Amino acid sequence: MIYRLVEHYQYEQEIKKSIFLAHAVPVTSEDQVHEWLEKLRVLEARHNCWAYRIGQKYRSDDDGEPSGTAGRPILQVIEKQNFDQVLILVVRWFGGIKLGAGGLIRAYGGTAAECLRQAPCAEYIPQKTVSILCAFSDHALLKARIAEYDAQIIGEEFGAEVEMKITVPKNAYTALYDRVLDLTRGQAVIIDTEEAEN
């Protein structure tokens, strides 16, 4: 099961006199990641370490901490808790006591983990958008049956034939595709609008 944040959430804790403030933010593009980093970075703080994951894209930054002690532990938390489309920024104000590599990994990873545990989230089900072109005689039947696949109609246009624009969970798309062709005796045309836009 994959999760996605519902809204921006923050969590703060003190570890050996250093303050760690984590921000968990829902993001859908790298542009949004950069916008949030600009907005949330605290220049007066010693370190602004972060990681994000958006589908197959991910990145992390230690921002001056020893390599692998901040950004990577934050990214591992995102992966371990099965989050997608999320950015976590952990801001550290140095309190004068060095934590060592193990201490930094635990501090950054632990702060990020607790932030995600407390943040409001929802199950994330990847969706696919398609258009179905069908005859008027098949419209009512298709409309009734696509709900079995958790598909949602987001638009309909009536012309020489009916065009239904729908979203369907990606894992149900192949079964829906086969069912639509079966119900219309192979007469319906299914257009993958995501491929058409690329």
Side-chain angles (χ1 to χ4, degrees):
M1 194 175 301
I2 298 172
Y3 297 96
R4 186 162 59 177
L5 290 174
V6 173
E7 60 188 25
H8 173 198
Y9 187 80
Q10 64 183 48
Y11 169 78
E12 183 180 308
Q13 66 177 344
E14 183 178 325
I15 300 171
K16 294 188 177 178
K17 297 188 178 178
S18 284
I19 303 294
F20 291 83
L21 172 63
H23 292 275
V25 184
V27 290
T28 56
S29 70
E30 290 175 311
D31 287 341
Q32 284 185 343
V33 168
H34 297 302
E35 288 168 15
W36 276 105
L37 286 173
E38 286 302 311
K39 182 177 178 180
L40 297 174
R41 267 193 183 110
V42 180
L43 299 178
E44 302 79 41
R46 175 70 70 88
H47 303 284
N48 289 267
C49 306
W50 53 267
Y52 73 83
R53 177 180 167 198
I54 303 170
Q56 300 303 313
K57 295 179 183 175
Y58 56 89
R59 230 178 114 210
S60 63
D61 189 332
D62 294 316
D63 190 37
E65 292 285 23
S67 180
T69 62
R72 188 166 294 138
I74 296 168
L75 183 58
Q76 287 172 340
V77 165
I78 293 170
E79 292 169 348
K80 188 174 180 182
Q81 293 192 27
N82 291 322
F83 272 82
D84 193 8
Q85 299 188 343
V86 64
L87 161 69
I88 299 179
L89 167 69
V90 180
V91 181
R92 178 189 183 195
W93 286 270
F94 184 58
I97 299 174
K98 293 189 176 183
L99 302 180
L104 289 171
I105 290 168
R106 286 188 297 276
Y108 281 101
T111 303
E114 193 57 36
C115 186
L116 276 187
R117 272 195 285 277
Q118 293 183 19
C121 64
E123 183 181 354
Y124 172 55
I125 301 170
Q127 299 287 313
K128 187 173 190 63
T129 304
V130 298
S131 288
I132 302 172
L133 301 173
C134 66
F136 281 98
S137 57
D138 293 323
H139 177 244
L141 177 62
L142 286 179
K143 197 170 179 174
R145 295 292 173 86
I146 63 172
E148 297 169 13
Y149 300 90
D150 293 326
Q152 304 289 320
I153 297 173
I154 56 175
E156 290 182 297
E157 288 185 26
F158 298 88
E161 51 192 357
V162 180
E163 179 180 354
M164 289 188 289
K165 192 167 188 180
I166 66 167
T167 60
V168 60
K170 284 189 176 182
N171 61 3
Y173 173 67
T174 302
L176 173 78
Y177 183 94
D178 293 342
R179 186 73 170 135
V180 167
L181 291 181
D182 183 47
L183 290 170
T184 63
R185 300 151 312 284
Q187 298 302 304
V189 177
I190 302 166
I191 302 166
D192 186 335
T193 54
E194 292 171 353
E195 286 181 4
E197 288 168 3
N198 292 335

